[in-house]
């Protein structure tokens, strides 16, 4: 009997060679681009030293996509781009077009399929976000649903250029903050407000006590004896509800339907242009989860965006605008209350106080 | 086809102009039936305001300790299709460039062996295939490997490195981000597949200070393109821009070091005082270009909040001659990385990122450990407190 | 390192991890440090110990676990 030929198991093959996916024009002009121009919020052109012109049409995506979505964008890329396309770090699809004549027909096709073209220039960029209730066990909120609700409301700002500068919004469903959430123009962050619940029985089987204790940023977890056996206790006075212990020890769940929700942070950026990169700062400490449309979060983001649009000078990012007008004015304009939660009380908190007589009165 | 589960709350998110992820999940469910159950469970989350995934449980492929994230439903009887709903991370093509042939095949794999759902891309930059069970993992891995793709990082390992589009499609790129990204991924494949660190470690490569991959906010080692010599000025193009908008107000006045001014109609730049922030080049791309002596800055220690708070990347090497080092397969850089990892191995504790370690032991101790000298570019300003710890070598 | 020594190291590692299941989660570097102490007199290098560790993983006598961070453990069915 003939033996079945066993295929060699593939392993450790490493990253794919990107050169295979570069279009001829990109290969010819690699490292020799001269400048680019933004034609409209969905289109830009990169001009090479050789005079070659590469057009890019950008299309929004929800990051979580179906195989059918992938085939849709492949159909477009096959029809107009010689099968070449790329994604951006903010989960947009970019069609790379070598023949200018294909730009408008491509955009028409995308629109006909119900997809969104935009995201270039002084716009609200696609929201980078996490998995949320769809795929994460530590989430304090859903991600995709909040993002969809906010983007529906801000849709006009994705497709039209009418802001002082670009506005980057990011979403993280817990303090693990997968993604560069903590330095965005507007950040929406899932937040717990109650300490973890300890299941002593499960903890004994599932958790390593020293690493559970070490997981806490405020040293609020201490060894304890429960029914004569080793366990832990939580000092609820000092716990900051970060969920780090739950990450390490499954027997300390922290999710709490009535007390979980979202916080809003503003004024961060990662670019070094003009000013140094900076973290986002707290605007609203807590908004309850309100699925499916999270109106509280949507309104808060809209309020910030409206005041920014009214008050910022051309070219000013949200953080630069607030730096110029000052935080008291930011809170006055937005109507968000300034509370005790806005004053830092964690490590390095002292560095955030106002050591001067400067005040806009 | 009738819906398996009623989802009135999720249905609300099919309305509106922005592309709907609910519709995407439904489209995936048309091809991969198990995903019906995902809709059912997520609807329950929307009702209960809490996620319904269990904590813990492993998933993986033989020989690797990374690349898959295990996910188990809290209600396996009610939603058998997502009893196991693991995701697989796949190292992307550098710069996220693809062709349709690969993407179509990947879509097929995701529908045949998983939930028909993908992420382009996850937060670190991996392609993710969602919704597979452990018994399917090997088949998916081999199918993906047949296409020439390998699994990405997860856990306490080198996470999948990522980079901007770089010189492939950007005039701002000061070095070949895609080349170094691919090279180091290959070099450290073992560190990526077999977690052996105290915690995660990330590399990100940005071609200029605009930092499109947010390297300075989210990678332990960030490479940000820069240059040493003079900005190249095309005075005619400057004049063209000056006819279109107020260059003085929107470009010169916003320069962080006020290192540029007009002398009659000509733009003059005091390059020695330029911090390479990119603002003027962003605003006047036809008129201004980075100099010829290009390389990158290396920043260290950025991370998200857990465990001891968020950190931004801090300057470690102001100018790394990456283009020269590339000729030697990045030998200088690899030796620096090896020193860092050894120091981190020796002195770091579990779940301590390298930035937190530096915070704990102090920058001087770290510099000594990895063999770099302290230089003023590393600090915002010298210390202002007098608590100096003099060491014996100063007393000679 | 002779095959005999390697076997000895592997047995020691396996014994250590098995003994501490549920009590301590060893990262690869923890094991390397322990074994360096254990076999100090025999002049084993880090790389020797790492090689022994890799053998154990390839044979699936040790597998990875994850709880906030990665660690090594014995397969669940054993």
């Amino acid at each position: 009997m003939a033996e079945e030929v066993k295929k060699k198991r593939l392993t450790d093959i490493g990253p794919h060679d990107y050169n295979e996916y570069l279009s001829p024009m990109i290969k010819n002009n690699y490292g020799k681009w001269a400048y680019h121009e933004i034609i409209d919020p969905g289109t830009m052109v990169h001009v090479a030293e050789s005079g070659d012109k590469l057009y890019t049409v950008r299309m929004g995506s929800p990051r979580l996509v179906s195989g059918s979505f992938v085939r849709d964008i492949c159909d477009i890329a096959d029809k107009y781009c010689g099968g070449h396309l790329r994604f951006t770090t903010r989960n947009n699809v970019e069609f790379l077009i070598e023949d200018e004549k294909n730009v408008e027909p491509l955009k028409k096709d995308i629109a006909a399929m119900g997809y969104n073209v935009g995201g270039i220039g002084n716009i609200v960029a696609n929201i980078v976000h996490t998995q949320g209730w769809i795929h994460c066990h530590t989430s304090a909120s859903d991600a995709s649903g909040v993002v969809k609700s906010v983007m529906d409301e801000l849709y006009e700002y994705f497709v039209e250029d009418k802001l002082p500068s670009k506005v980057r919004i990011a979403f993280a469903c817990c303090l693990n903050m997968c993604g560069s959430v903590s330095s965005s123009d507007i950040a929406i962050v899932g937040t717990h407000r109650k300490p973890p619940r300890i299941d002593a029985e499960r903890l004994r089987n599932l958790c390593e006590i020293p690493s559970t204790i070490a997981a806490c940023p405020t040293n609020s977890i201490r060894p304890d004896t429960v029914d004569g056996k080793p366990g832990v206790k939580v000092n609820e006075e000092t716990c900051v509800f970060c969920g780090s212990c739950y990450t390490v020890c499954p027997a300390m769940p922290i999710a709490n339907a009535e007390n979980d929700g979202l916080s809003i942070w503003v004024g961060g950026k990662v670019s070094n242009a003009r000013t140094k990169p900076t973290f986002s700062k707290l605007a609203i400490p807590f908004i309850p989860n309100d699925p499916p449309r999270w109106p509280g979060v949507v309104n808060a983001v809209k309020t910030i965006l409206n005041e920014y649009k009214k008050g910022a000078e051309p070219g000013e990012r949200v953080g630069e605008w607030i730096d110029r007008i000052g935080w008291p004015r930011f809170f006055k304009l937005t109507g968000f209350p300034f509370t005790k939660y806005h004053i830092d009380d964690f490590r390095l908190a002292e560095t955030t106080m106002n050591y001067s007589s400067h005040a806009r009165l | 086809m009738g819906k398996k589960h009623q989802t009135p709350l999720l249905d609300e998110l099919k309305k509106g102009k922005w592309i709907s992820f609910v519709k995407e999940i439904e489209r995936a469910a048309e091809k991969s039936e198990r995903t019906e159950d995902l809709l059912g469970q997520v609807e329950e989350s929307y009702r209960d305001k809490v996620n319904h995934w269990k904590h813990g449980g492993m998933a993986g492929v033989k020989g690797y300790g990374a690349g898959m994230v295990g996910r188990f439903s809290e209600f396996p009887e009610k939603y058998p299709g997502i009893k196991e709903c693991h995701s697989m991370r796949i190292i992307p093509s550098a710069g996220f460039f693809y062709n349709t042939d690969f993407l179509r095949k990947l879509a097929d794999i995701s529908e045949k062996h998983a939930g028909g759902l993908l992420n382009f891309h996850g937060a670190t930059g991996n392609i993710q295939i969602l919704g597979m069970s452990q018994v399917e993992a090997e088949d998916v891995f081999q199918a993906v490997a047949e296409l020439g793709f390998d699994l990405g990082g997860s856990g306490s390992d080198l996470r999948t490195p990522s980079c901007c589009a770089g010189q492939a499609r950007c005039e701002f790129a000061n070095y070949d981000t895609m080349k170094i990204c691919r090279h180091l991924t290959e070099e450290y494949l073992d560190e990526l597949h077999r977690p052996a660190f105290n915690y995660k470690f990330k590399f990100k490569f940005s071609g200029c200070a605009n930092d499109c991959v947010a390297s300075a906010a989210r990678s332990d080692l960030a490479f940000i393109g820069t240059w040493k010599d003079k900005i190249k000025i095309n005075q005619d193009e400057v004049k063209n821009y000056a006819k279109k908008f107020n260059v003085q107000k929107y470009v010169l006045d916003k320069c962080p070091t006020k290192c540029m001014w007009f002398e009659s109609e000509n733009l003059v730049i005091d390059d020695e005082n330029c911090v390479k922030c990119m603002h003027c080049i962003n605003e006047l791309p036809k008129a201004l270009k980075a100099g010829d002596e290009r390389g990158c800055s290396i920043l260290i220690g950025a991370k998200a909040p857990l465990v001891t708070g968020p950190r931004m990347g801090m300057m470690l090497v102001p100018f790394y001659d990456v283009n020269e080092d590339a000729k030697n397969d990045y030998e200088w850089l690899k030796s620096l990385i090896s020193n860092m990892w050894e120091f981190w191995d020796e002195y770091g504790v579990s779940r301590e990122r390298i930035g937190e370690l530096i915070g704990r032991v102090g920058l001087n101790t770290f510099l000594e450990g990895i063999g770099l000298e302290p230089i003023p570019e590393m600090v915002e300003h010298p210390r202002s407190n007098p608590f100096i710890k003099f060491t014996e070598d100063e007393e000679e | 390192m002779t095959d005999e020594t390697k076997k000895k190291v592997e047995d020691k590692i396996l014994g250590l991890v098995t003994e501490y299941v549920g009590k301590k989660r060893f990262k690869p570097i923890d094991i390397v440090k322990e074994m360096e102490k254990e076999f100090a007199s025999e002049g084993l290098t880090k790389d020797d110990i790492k090689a022994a560790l890799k053998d154990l993983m390839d044979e699936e006598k040790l597998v990875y676990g994850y709880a906030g961070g990665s660690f090594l453990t014995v397969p669940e069915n054993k």
Side-chain angles (χ1 to χ4, degrees):
Chain A
M1 213 163 79
E3 253 186 67
E4 200 185 325
V5 181
K6 226 182 159 189
K7 262 202 280 185
K8 192 173 178 287
R9 182 177 189 266
L10 296 170
T11 183
D12 293 271
I13 61 172
H16 197 90
D17 182 359
Y18 55 84
N19 287 296
E20 192 186 318
Y21 299 135
L22 303 181
S23 70
M25 188 186 279
I26 287 183
K27 275 186 184 157
N28 289 339
N29 297 290
Y30 198 96
K32 288 180 279 188
W33 295 101
Y35 65 93
H36 76 278
E37 280 177 325
I38 296 170
I39 296 167
D40 61 49
T43 322
M44 59 182 165
V45 59
H46 285 81
V47 182
E49 287 163 8
S50 65
D52 283 351
K53 289 182 174 178
L54 181 71
Y55 291 85
T56 297
V57 171
R58 187 176 287 178
M59 178 187 122
S61 107
R63 188 178 90 129
L64 178 70
V65 299
S66 64
S68 305
F69 173 97
V70 172
R71 284 184 205 97
D72 282 353
I73 59 174
C74 286
D75 288 345
I76 300 270
D78 281 337
K79 191 169 169 191
Y80 297 111
C81 313
H84 295 283
L85 71 166
R86 72 176 291 265
F87 294 85
T88 70
T89 46
R90 302 188 76 85
N91 313 315
N92 298 293
V93 182
E94 285 190 339
F95 296 101
L96 307 166
I97 307 156
E98 303 197 349
D99 185 347
E100 188 184 355
K101 286 203 298 288
N102 283 333
V103 172
E104 288 310 314
L106 181 148
K107 282 156 85 173
K108 244 182 226 151
D109 278 11
I110 298 176
M113 294 164 104
Y115 293 126
N116 320 122
V117 173
I120 305 175
N122 301 317
I123 43 68
V124 168
N126 196 358
I127 301 180
V128 287
H129 63 94
T130 53
Q131 302 283 30
W133 291 336
I134 287 172
H135 209 254
C136 185
H137 64 293
T138 70
S139 49
S141 173
D142 189 34
S144 302
V146 183
V147 167
K148 160 79 174 147
S149 302
V150 172
M151 283 310 279
D152 275 341
E153 184 68 24
L154 303 184
Y155 181 77
E156 60 182 307
Y157 295 105
F158 181 78
V159 298
E160 291 174 57
D161 184 316
K162 48 187 191 180
L163 290 168
S165 184
K166 58 174 69 78
V167 175
R168 290 187 167 141
I169 306 178
F171 181 100
C173 48
C174 80
L175 299 197
N176 272 308
M177 283 199 198
C178 312
S180 70
V181 172
S182 52
S183 38
S184 304
D185 293 288
I186 302 173
I188 309 166
V189 179
T191 302
H192 302 290
R193 290 189 303 165
K194 293 287 168 193
R197 304 174 296 279
I198 301 171
D199 181 340
E201 186 68 34
R202 287 184 72 220
L203 189 135
R204 275 197 284 280
N205 300 321
L206 286 170
C207 309
E208 179 195 276
I209 289 172
S211 65
T212 305
I213 291 170
C216 183
T218 58
N219 299 316
S220 302
I221 303 175
R222 295 283 176 216
D224 192 22
T225 307
V226 186
D227 305 330
K229 292 173 191 159
V232 300
K233 63 182 168 191
V234 173
N235 179 353
E236 300 191 353
E237 293 292 310
T238 53
C239 171
V240 290
F241 325 120
C242 71
S244 179
C245 53
Y246 178 59
T247 304
V248 173
C249 172
M252 297 179 74
I254 190 165
N256 178 314
E258 293 316 310
N259 285 287
D260 290 350
L262 295 153
S263 53
I264 310 278
W265 306 72
V266 293
K269 84 192 228 302
V270 290
S271 156
N272 287 269
R274 303 175 300 285
T275 52
K276 292 184 175 184
T278 175
F279 290 122
S280 316
K281 280 88 180 174
L282 183 65
I284 303 177
F286 186 78
I287 300 174
N289 270 326
D290 194 3
R293 281 274 170 189
W294 281 271
V297 173
V298 172
N299 286 337
V301 172
K302 192 87 198 259
T303 301
I304 297 165
L305 199 74
N306 282 341
E307 291 307 324
Y308 164 69
K309 189 183 163 193
K310 271 192 272 175
E313 301 224 337
E316 266 182 342
R317 294 281 293 267
V318 172
E320 293 169 292
W321 162 63
I322 298 173
D323 273 352
R324 182 166 57 77
I325 64 166
W327 285 100
R329 182 123 183 97
F330 169 82
F331 283 99
K332 200 171 169 191
L333 287 172
T334 55
F336 302 154
F338 185 86
T339 69
K340 63 176 181 177
Y341 300 124
H342 290 86
I343 291 182
D344 198 349
D345 53 7
F346 190 56
R347 207 172 55 86
L348 311 179
E350 278 181 291
T351 61
T352 65
M353 307 307 157
N354 176 9
Y355 297 100
S356 77
S357 67
H358 291 198
R360 296 168 176 86
L361 300 172
Chain B
M1 189 177 76
K3 282 175 76 171
K4 190 172 167 192
H5 307 288
Q6 291 307 306
T7 57
L9 293 169
L10 288 179
D11 289 346
E12 286 298 312
L13 290 162
K14 286 162 34 184
K15 301 169 185 166
K17 282 185 169 169
W18 185 251
I19 179 170
S20 168
F21 70 99
V22 177
K23 285 188 193 166
E24 287 305 314
I25 303 176
E26 287 185 350
R27 289 174 91 189
E30 285 169 19
K31 305 278 181 163
S32 177
E33 213 185 311
R34 66 183 83 175
T35 298
E36 293 269 7
D37 282 347
L38 180 64
L39 283 163
Q41 181 179 303
V42 175
E43 176 73 13
E44 288 208 28
S45 282
Y46 268 65
R47 191 196 60 209
D48 303 342
K49 301 186 190 181
V50 69
N51 80 74
H52 288 304
W53 298 104
K54 273 185 203 164
H55 185 305
M58 283 301 292
V61 300
K62 186 177 170 240
Y64 288 6
M68 277 190 76
V69 177
R71 195 64 75 226
F72 297 83
S73 171
E74 203 173 270
F75 311 122
E77 279 86 33
K78 194 166 177 191
Y79 301 114
I82 53 165
K83 180 182 172 201
E84 293 177 54
C85 189
H86 313 318
S87 57
M88 185 175 275
R89 293 180 176 171
I90 299 165
I91 302 174
S93 162
F96 300 146
F97 286 90
Y98 299 104
N99 67 18
T100 52
D101 181 54
F102 164 67
L103 291 179
R104 286 180 198 279
K105 286 175 178 159
L106 196 68
D108 292 344
I109 292 170
S110 79
E111 287 165 358
K112 188 174 169 200
H113 297 288
L117 280 169
L118 304 110
N119 285 141
F120 284 100
H121 295 77
T124 302
N126 294 288
I127 302 171
Q128 298 192 110
I129 299 178
L130 284 78
M132 78 187 70
S133 64
Q134 176 59 47
V135 292
E136 293 165 309
E138 180 65 17
D139 285 345
V140 182
F141 174 38
Q142 290 305 301
V144 166
E146 293 280 344
L147 300 178
F149 280 76
D150 201 350
L151 303 197
S154 64
S156 307
D157 69 351
L158 175 69
R159 296 300 182 88
T160 306
S162 79
C163 64
C164 67
Q167 295 181 333
R169 202 212 46 195
C170 187
E171 71 274 20
F172 295 159
N174 287 296
Y175 70 101
D176 194 340
T177 55
M178 287 168 35
K179 182 178 167 183
I180 188 173
C181 183
R182 179 178 167 217
H183 183 96
L184 292 188
T185 309
E186 239 160 33
E187 174 75 20
Y188 298 121
L189 213 50
D190 200 42
E191 283 79 1
L192 189 150
H193 289 319
R194 296 168 188 86
F197 293 155
N198 288 308
Y199 205 16
K200 63 190 89 170
F201 197 96
K202 298 184 180 185
F203 292 139
K204 289 190 192 294
F205 306 90
S206 278
C208 76
N210 287 318
D211 200 0
C212 287
V213 289
S215 67
R218 49 199 301 213
S219 60
D220 299 272
L221 216 51
F223 299 81
I224 299 178
T226 190
W227 65 95
K228 261 181 153 174
D229 52 342
K230 288 175 183 297
I231 292 177
K232 291 186 251 181
I233 309 174
N234 179 332
Q235 298 289 0
D236 290 337
E237 291 291 353
V238 174
K239 281 167 200 144
N240 283 337
Y241 280 115
K243 282 176 208 154
K244 287 185 217 154
F245 71 102
N246 189 340
V247 171
Q248 179 68 45
K249 180 173 178 190
Y250 294 117
V251 183
L252 276 55
D253 292 352
K254 297 203 171 209
C255 171
T257 58
K258 304 285 178 285
C259 73
M260 51 206 316
W261 57 86
F262 279 112
E263 281 180 10
S264 71
E265 284 191 323
N266 280 338
L267 182 67
V268 180
I269 301 178
D270 173 12
D271 285 277
E272 262 186 55
N273 200 29
C274 166
V275 290
K276 313 344 175 192
C277 84
M278 287 301 289
H279 177 65
C280 59
I281 297 179
N282 288 340
E283 298 302 309
L284 313 173
K286 280 183 172 174
L288 303 179
K289 302 210 175 312
D292 292 321
E293 245 184 284
R294 298 178 178 194
C296 65
S297 302
I298 304 177
L299 277 65
I300 190 165
K303 59 178 286 294
L306 298 183
V307 178
T308 67
R311 296 181 75 98
M312 206 66 94
M314 58 187 191
M315 178 65 84
L316 186 73
V317 180
F319 188 84
Y320 160 50
D321 195 345
V322 54
N323 297 317
E324 187 58 33
D325 204 27
K327 295 176 193 160
N328 308 316
D329 282 342
Y330 308 98
E331 201 181 304
W332 182 88
L333 178 64
K334 285 176 195 169
S335 138
L336 182 73
I337 290 169
S338 146
N339 291 349
M340 278 178 198
W341 285 351
E342 263 177 44
F343 185 87
W344 188 35
D345 261 0
E346 196 57 37
Y347 301 104
V349 299
S350 283
R351 295 185 82 224
E352 185 176 48
R353 297 280 287 268
I354 202 157
E356 288 167 312
L357 171 63
I358 297 171
R360 182 164 61 83
V361 303
L363 182 60
N364 277 322
T365 308
F366 179 70
L367 292 177
E368 249 171 62
I370 64 166
L372 285 183
E373 292 294 319
I375 49 171
E377 284 85 352
M378 290 172 178
V379 294
E380 182 82 28
H381 54 74
R383 72 159 70 218
S384 52
N385 70 67
F387 305 122
I388 305 174
K389 171 75 181 163
F390 287 104
T391 51
E392 284 179 12
D393 50 323
E394 296 294 328
E395 290 167 15
E396 286 159 21
Chain C
M1 182 171 57
T2 61
D3 281 353
E4 201 184 324
T5 322
K6 196 173 192 177
K7 178 82 179 48
K8 224 165 73 183
V9 178
E10 290 185 15
D11 287 347
K12 199 83 198 172
I13 294 174
L14 217 48
L16 181 74
V17 176
T18 311
E19 187 189 338
Y20 281 92
V21 164
K23 287 173 220 131
K24 178 158 172 57
R25 293 180 183 137
F26 290 98
K27 302 188 300 300
I29 187 70
D30 300 331
I31 293 174
V32 171
K33 282 178 183 170
E34 284 290 328
M35 292 303 119
E36 270 186 311
K37 269 189 266 166
E38 188 77 32
F39 293 94
S41 58
E42 304 187 28
L44 287 189
T45 65
K46 267 189 183 152
D47 286 339
D48 289 336
I49 300 161
K50 279 182 186 169
L53 212 46
K54 185 155 191 307
D55 267 10
L56 287 170
M57 286 190 267
D58 285 346
E59 291 162 22
E60 294 186 301
K61 288 179 181 163
L62 283 183
V63 295
Y64 278 99
Y66 179 81
S70 306
F71 60 94
L72 290 172
T73 185
V74 289
E76 264 174 36
N77 50 9
K78 282 182 186 168

